[in-house]
Amino acid sequence: ETKPVSASNGTLPKDIDVALIMQMSIGTFSSQYINGVTEQVESFGGNVKVYNADNDLSKMASYVDTATTQGVDVILIDHGRADALKEPVQRALDKGIKVVAFDNDLTNEGVTVIDQDDYSLAWRSLKALAEDLDGEGKIVTIWVGGFTPMERRHTIYDAFLKRYPGIEEVAKFGSATNNTALDTQSQMEAILKKYPEGEIDAVFAMWDEFAKGASRAIKQAGRDEIAVYGIDLSDEDLQLMQEEGSPWKVTAATDPAEIGRVQVRYAYQKLAGEETPSIHSIDPYLVDRDVLPDEKVTMDDLGQYVPNWGASDAAWSDWMK
Ligand code: SR1
């Protein structure tokens, strides 16, 4: 049973136990997302326990059952797939636990699933790439399958290749490891040796860990004819994009901390007995290095340079304010 809350009449919920169950926690996107979740829960007076399944979906499913047995009030899910999670999630829902997921394909009734509008993320970055190349050029694509957001981004990538027949994919690689950025860097170094100057115009990196690795390899090799078009943004990514001679030109992104905050607010709306949607896509924005100033910027100041960037007004109830 969940603890009684009377948020709708002005009393904030207190002492709510939240389990954040993550498929993996790799890189600065994940850490900024965890910060957003924690900050928003703590602002409501609740407690968060983070479970990291280290990319093991059966471990992730058993964490959902553990949280259910412990009788938490809320389960937040990050990544994972419905084929592994739908049954444990149903057991949680049957016990009255509120469930909000990010970046997966769960369809259990009562679960709100949020995402970053991955179609739009991929298209914004790819359109910038195509326009910069004027529709013609050779690209390297970095992608990994098996993750809901990645599969969605790839749907748009397939459409992009049809839309711009003058753009040719010369190589494609990528994997999610404990050292994704470093492993990508080594693989990109090998690609740069295989394709000398003039044989690669741009890299499309569908995750910031990929964009970091590719950018470092390109910069070290002095291949300044190659530009990187990415997805995602964090403080570390901004620093990298702003470095002198950085190949990372463009990224399409939402604020990962804001994703965490929105996910928590939906959970608290559920606790307060409010109506919540089944799906919610947070709008992404395109960030071009050229709009950034010379001095270092952080995610918190980005709204000064990227119109509409900043806190989302999604899932706010009057009592929360
Ligand atoms: C392996 S999936 C990585 C992606 O998850 C989040 O959606 C981030 O955008 C990241 O690109």
Side-chain angles (χ1 to χ4, degrees):
E1 270 199 20
T2 54
K3 298 178 182 88
V5 293
S6 51
S8 44
N9 68 11
T11 311
L12 291 180
K14 291 280 182 209
D15 297 327
I16 298 295
D17 288 321
V18 177
L20 168 59
I21 300 173
M22 305 178 70
Q23 179 176 351
M24 73 219 160
S25 176
I26 301 173
T28 45
F29 181 96
S30 294
S31 52
Q32 297 205 238
Y33 161 75
I34 295 172
N35 291 345
V37 167
T38 310
E39 175 205 306
Q40 191 72 94
V41 170
E42 288 176 353
S43 76
F44 289 141
N47 318 295
V48 188
K49 182 164 179 191
V50 181
Y51 297 81
N52 175 3
D54 292 318
N55 216 359
D56 176 343
L57 289 178
S58 31
K59 196 162 153 190
M60 194 174 178
S62 67
Y63 281 151
V64 176
D65 280 327
T66 303
T68 302
T69 308
Q70 286 172 349
V72 298
D73 304 286
V74 167
I75 295 179
L76 303 179
I77 293 180
D78 170 39
H79 290 75
R81 285 202 314 268
D83 53 3
L85 300 177
K86 65 175 186 271
E87 286 167 14
V89 162
Q90 193 56 49
R91 287 191 279 278
L93 292 167
D94 292 345
K95 238 186 127 184
I97 296 171
K98 309 303 178 197
V99 182
V100 184
F102 163 53
D103 257 358
N104 72 30
D105 55 343
L106 281 165
T107 51
N108 305 55
E109 203 178 328
V111 177
T112 295
V113 184
I114 64 174
D115 60 50
Q116 305 177 81
D117 195 354
D118 292 279
Y119 283 19
S120 177
L121 267 182
W123 186 253
R124 281 165 193 250
S125 187
L126 283 165
K127 187 175 169 216
L129 181 157
E131 287 176 356
D132 287 351
L133 292 186
D134 201 18
E136 283 203 15
K138 295 183 171 147
I139 65 168
V140 171
T141 294
I142 318 180
W143 173 79
V144 59
F147 297 88
T148 304
M150 286 295 173
E151 298 296 339
R152 290 178 179 152
R153 292 169 198 177
H154 203 281
T155 301
I156 293 303
Y157 179 64
D158 285 336
F160 161 83
L161 291 176
K162 288 200 184 93
R163 166 69 182 80
Y164 297 103
I167 294 184
E168 181 197 348
E169 175 196 283
V170 293
K172 185 177 181 189
F173 68 94
S175 49
T177 66
N178 286 334
N179 278 312
T180 302
L182 210 57
D183 294 341
T184 304
Q185 187 173 342
S186 318
Q187 286 171 286
M188 190 69 213
E189 280 162 8
I191 299 268
L192 292 172
K193 286 193 185 116
K194 187 166 171 200
Y195 297 95
E197 212 164 324
E199 294 193 20
I200 304 171
D201 299 299
V203 170
F204 177 48
M206 298 200 220
W207 179 7
D208 59 345
E209 295 305 298
F210 292 155
K212 279 181 218 172
S215 298
R216 289 178 183 136
I218 293 166
K219 195 172 175 196
Q220 271 173 28
R223 297 283 296 270
D224 55 12
E225 81 280 11
I226 305 174
V228 174
Y229 295 77
I231 287 179
D232 301 321
L233 199 56
S234 67
D235 285 323
E236 188 192 14
D237 300 343
L238 269 171
Q239 271 191 23
L240 199 57
M241 286 179 81
Q242 286 192 287
E243 270 175 17
E244 174 94 36
S246 172
W248 192 348
K249 186 180 185 307
V250 162
T251 199
T254 71
D255 179 347
E258 189 56 20
I259 298 168
R261 291 190 284 259
V262 170
Q263 194 175 3
V264 170
R265 293 201 295 270
Y266 274 127
Y268 275 69
Q269 286 187 331
K270 286 178 188 288
L271 284 169
E274 292 175 40
E275 283 280 310
T276 49
S278 307
I279 51 168
H280 175 89
S281 293
I282 296 173
D283 283 331
Y285 296 95
L286 196 71
V287 180
D288 189 312
R289 193 187 47 213
D290 294 346
V291 306
L292 302 177
D294 291 338
E295 65 271 16
K296 298 278 170 243
V297 286
T298 66
M299 297 288 275
D300 290 339
D301 347 292
L302 202 54
Q304 293 171 45
Y305 311 100
V306 179
N308 300 321
W309 178 270
S312 147
D313 53 12
W316 278 112
S317 302
D318 286 344
W319 62 266
M320 292 177 180
K321 293 170 192 160

